[in-house]
């Protein structure tokens, strides 16, 4: 791959300014994205959904990445990186505003539209930001740079469920399914309407913040980058670019690997709350299960810190990806095999089932996948790096499909257990359904060992 030229407004060959701006943006990505975890059990209660229906939250949000990644690449080609990021923030603001009428009507379909719009804004931001961070410095340290951004992302993911629970849903203990069930039809509708309305203010404030940030980014010193220095791509149509990009096996395998990794990451973060609620992890206030996503994010932050410390000085990003695949595979087997009645007491928190801790530790296994997959998949793409990045973003569809599959599998097993009279003695569908992640970690191992090395079909 030829050297990529980066023109800075005041200084050349420095990554400080873009890294500061990108780190701030990745914090925003994380905060918006990881609110989905507590929203799943929230919508399940407020909109009276089944387990599988509730996971349409992740489907609506992440399907936007698949649908909008290529259009986002085209948009960035036309308006540039900085304007593209500003537009992405504005789209997120529009999606946040849509939560207001959705909560007023307490209509799940309107919430899903709002989530899709927010996902669209994030697709634009991600399409711009990820190739950017790969090329602004040495490729061998790209995983370390992405790990820095990952810490900001997952720190926000740690804070988001806590903020939503503490500031907005602190009275969720008053809205348990058992308490709602004994209410009259009129009182039940009134209670659920009041519960849904609690989302209006925080998402309105989020919209204002996104709008302000869009203006700040517009006038920031974020430099443009040129990924097509030799002009080999600019004359090609978007469809020709896609066709040429798919001639690179490392990209194709990278997209598949990113898809299944995202599935594992989203499932670990967004399913843990519902699983914890099913296992009775309520705490003294009745809302502790809504905070469990923060446990997964804590494990991911730990993994990113290890990545910054170890890559590339002590271990390669290829080795890190191998370790992630093995750890994830082992954790999934333990999650399915261990009894949900095995408990552990950690300082300062309610007693937890060991299996919940294992689900949270999937965050550690997943943490180094994103920063390793990106540079490995984009290596040697030359001028096709931008379209390659957009195609990789399409791999985020894994976060839409796999959680929905998890919900259907969990529902099917739970219904079967109930029909057989085993619902109190057999392992729940929520626990067994984690088996769908075994193929995901197998693909991660294949890409780490073989897939990233291929350069022709």
């Amino acid at each position: 791959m030829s050297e990529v030229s980066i023109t800075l407004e005041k200084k050349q060959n420095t990554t400080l300014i873009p890294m500061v701006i990108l780190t701030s943006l990745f914090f925003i990505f994380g905060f918006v994205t990881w609110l989905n975890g507590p929203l799943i059990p929230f919508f399940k209660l407020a909109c009276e959904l089944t387990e599988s229906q509730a996971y349409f939250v992740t489907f609506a949000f992440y399907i936007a990445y698949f649908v909008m990644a290529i259009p986002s690449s085209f948009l960035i080609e036309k308006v540039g990186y900085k304007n593209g990021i500003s537009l992405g923030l504005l789209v997120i603001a529009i999606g946040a505003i849509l939560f207001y009428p959705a909560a007023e009507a307490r209509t799940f379909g309107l919430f899903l539209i709002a989530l899709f719009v927010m996902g669209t804004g994030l697709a634009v931001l991600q399409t711009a930001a990820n190739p950017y961070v790969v090329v602004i410095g040495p490729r061998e340290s790209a995983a370390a740079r992405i790990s820095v951004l990952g810490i900001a992302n997952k720190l926000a993911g740690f804070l988001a469920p806590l903020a939503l629970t503490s500031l907005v849903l602190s009275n969720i203990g008053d809205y348990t399914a058992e308490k709602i069930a004994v209410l009259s039809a009129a009182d039940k509708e009134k209670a659920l309407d009041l519960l849904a309305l609690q989302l209006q203010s925080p998402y309105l404030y989020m919209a204002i913040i996104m709008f302000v940030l869009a203006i700040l980014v517009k006038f920031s010193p974020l430099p443009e980058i040129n990924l097509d220095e030799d002009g080999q791509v600019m004359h090609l149509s978007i469809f020709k670019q896609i066709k040429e990009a798919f001639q690179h096996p490392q990209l194709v395998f990278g997209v598949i690997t990113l898809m299944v990794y995202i599935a594992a990451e989203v499932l670990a973060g967004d399913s843990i709350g519902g699983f914890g609620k099913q296992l009775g992890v309520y705490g003294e206030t009745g809302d502790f299960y809504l905070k469990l996503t923060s446990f997964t994010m804590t494990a991911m932050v730990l993994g990113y810190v290890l990545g910054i410390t170890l890559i590339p000085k002590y271990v390669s990003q290829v080795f890190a990806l191998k370790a992630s695949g093995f750890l994830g595979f082992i954790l999934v087997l333990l999650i399915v095999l261990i009894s949900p009645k095995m408990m552990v007491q950690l300082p300062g928190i309610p007693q937890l089932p060991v299996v919940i801790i294992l689900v949270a530790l999937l965050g550690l296994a997943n943490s180094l996948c994103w920063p390793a997959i990106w540079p490995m998949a984009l290596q040697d793409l030359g001028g096709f790096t931008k379209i390659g990045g957009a195609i990789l973003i399409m791999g985020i569809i894994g976060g839409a499909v796999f959680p929905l599959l998890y919900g259907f599998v969990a529902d099917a097993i739970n219904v079967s257990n109930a029909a057989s009279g085993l619902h109190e003695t057999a392992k729940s569908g929520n626990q067994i359904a984690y088996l769908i992640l075994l193929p995901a970690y197998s693909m991660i191992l294949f890409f780490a060992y073989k897939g990233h090395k291929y350069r022709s079909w």
Side-chain angles (χ1 to χ4, degrees):
M1 176 179 176
S2 61
E3 290 281 327
V4 178
S5 64
I6 304 175
T7 303
L8 302 181
E9 293 181 359
K10 294 185 178 181
K11 293 183 179 182
Q12 291 194 355
N13 302 322
T14 178
T15 62
L16 178 61
I17 292 176
M19 279 300 292
V20 169
I21 295 173
L22 289 170
T23 301
S24 302
L25 289 174
F26 268 71
F27 183 88
I28 295 166
F29 298 167
F31 200 90
V32 174
T33 299
W34 295 108
L35 284 175
N36 291 338
L39 283 180
I40 289 171
F42 174 85
F43 284 137
K44 184 180 179 183
L45 176 62
C47 298
E48 301 177 277
L49 308 172
T50 65
E51 189 79 25
S52 55
Q53 289 172 336
Y55 280 97
F56 273 98
V57 167
T58 56
F59 182 84
F61 187 84
Y62 287 103
I63 198 68
Y65 285 92
F66 180 80
V67 174
M68 300 306 299
I70 298 298
S72 296
S73 178
F74 182 75
L75 172 69
I76 293 166
E77 185 76 34
K78 295 297 183 183
V79 305
Y81 278 85
K82 186 160 67 173
N83 289 335
I85 290 173
S86 292
L87 287 173
L89 289 166
L90 287 175
V91 173
I92 295 174
I94 293 171
I97 290 173
L98 290 176
F99 263 73
Y100 199 94
E104 192 74 34
R106 192 166 60 85
T107 301
F108 189 51
L110 293 178
F111 281 120
L112 295 182
I113 292 173
L115 287 165
F116 179 85
V117 173
M118 295 182 77
T120 297
L122 281 169
V124 176
L125 294 177
Q126 293 271 26
T127 302
N130 286 288
Y132 200 109
V133 74
V134 169
V135 302
I136 60 173
R139 185 171 295 275
E140 61 270 14
S141 61
R145 289 194 301 277
I146 299 177
S147 291
V148 172
L149 304 183
I151 287 179
N153 183 276
K154 299 312 180 289
L155 178 61
F158 171 80
L159 295 174
L162 299 180
L164 186 68
T165 304
S166 300
L167 300 178
V168 183
L169 306 178
S170 58
N171 63 338
I172 193 70
D174 298 331
Y175 294 90
T176 63
E178 293 77 13
K179 293 180 180 179
I180 293 294
V182 300
L183 297 177
S184 65
D187 288 340
K188 177 182 177 181
E189 288 296 309
K190 182 178 180 180
L192 294 180
D193 286 343
L194 290 173
L195 180 63
L197 290 174
Q198 294 179 189
L199 289 178
Q200 287 183 323
S201 294
Y203 276 87
L204 189 59
Y205 294 144
M206 184 188 299
I208 294 171
I209 292 171
M210 295 300 164
F211 181 76
V212 172
L213 287 173
I215 296 174
L216 292 176
V217 169
K218 171 69 176 176
F219 296 102
S220 73
L222 187 68
E224 288 293 337
I225 60 176
N226 179 18
L227 297 176
D228 188 26
E229 187 182 34
D230 55 9
Q232 63 170 308
V233 172
M234 64 171 57
H235 65 284
L236 300 178
S237 69
I238 192 72
F239 299 105
K240 183 66 173 177
Q241 290 183 42
I242 294 172
K243 181 180 178 181
E244 291 295 325
F246 274 107
Q247 299 305 310
H248 297 79
Q250 73 273 30
L251 174 64
V252 176
F253 290 132
V255 171
I256 298 171
T257 305
L258 190 82
M259 180 183 71
V260 296
Y261 143 68
I262 288 292
E265 177 177 284
V266 172
L267 198 54
D270 288 355
S271 67
I272 190 172
F275 188 26
K277 181 181 180 182
Q278 185 187 63
L279 296 180
V281 183
Y282 291 105
E284 294 182 359
T285 58
D287 62 357
F288 192 78
Y289 65 91
L290 292 174
K291 303 175 182 178
L292 290 176
T293 297
S294 296
F295 283 63
T296 308
M297 296 302 102
T298 300
M300 293 199 76
V301 169
L302 175 61
Y304 277 117
V305 171
L306 288 174
I308 294 172
T309 304
L310 301 177
I311 302 173
K313 186 175 182 180
Y314 299 104
V315 300
S316 68
Q317 53 199 19
V318 175
F319 179 86
L321 191 59
K322 292 176 181 177
S324 296
F326 277 120
L327 179 58
F329 199 95
I330 292 169
L331 284 172
V332 169
L333 291 178
L334 291 175
I335 288 168
V336 175
L337 294 174
I338 284 181
S339 169
K341 296 181 180 180
M342 290 180 60
M343 308 296 286
V344 63
Q345 181 67 62
L346 300 176
I349 62 174
Q351 193 178 44
L352 293 174
V354 172
V355 70
I356 289 294
I357 301 298
L358 294 174
V359 173
L361 285 176
L362 285 175
L364 179 61
N366 298 331
S367 59
L368 295 182
C369 292
W370 181 277
I373 292 169
W374 271 86
M376 292 163 67
L378 295 180
Q379 189 169 2
D380 298 332
L381 260 62
F384 295 100
T385 300
K386 182 183 291 186
I387 190 65
I391 295 171
L392 275 169
I393 290 295
M394 294 178 70
I396 295 178
I397 191 176
V401 175
F402 272 68
L404 198 59
L405 176 61
Y406 170 88
F408 281 120
V409 172
D411 264 347
I413 296 174
N414 289 334
V415 169
S416 176
N417 286 345
S420 304
L422 301 174
H423 58 284
E424 293 184 358
T425 57
K427 291 179 181 177
S428 71
N430 298 60
Q431 183 173 358
I432 297 173
Y434 283 104
L435 280 173
I436 68 172
L437 291 182
L438 286 183
Y441 288 111
S442 299
M443 181 64 202
I444 290 170
L445 286 170
F446 166 76
F447 185 69
Y449 277 96
K450 291 288 186 180
H452 75 283
K453 297 179 180 179
Y454 295 114
R455 290 296 180 270
S456 69
W457 293 108

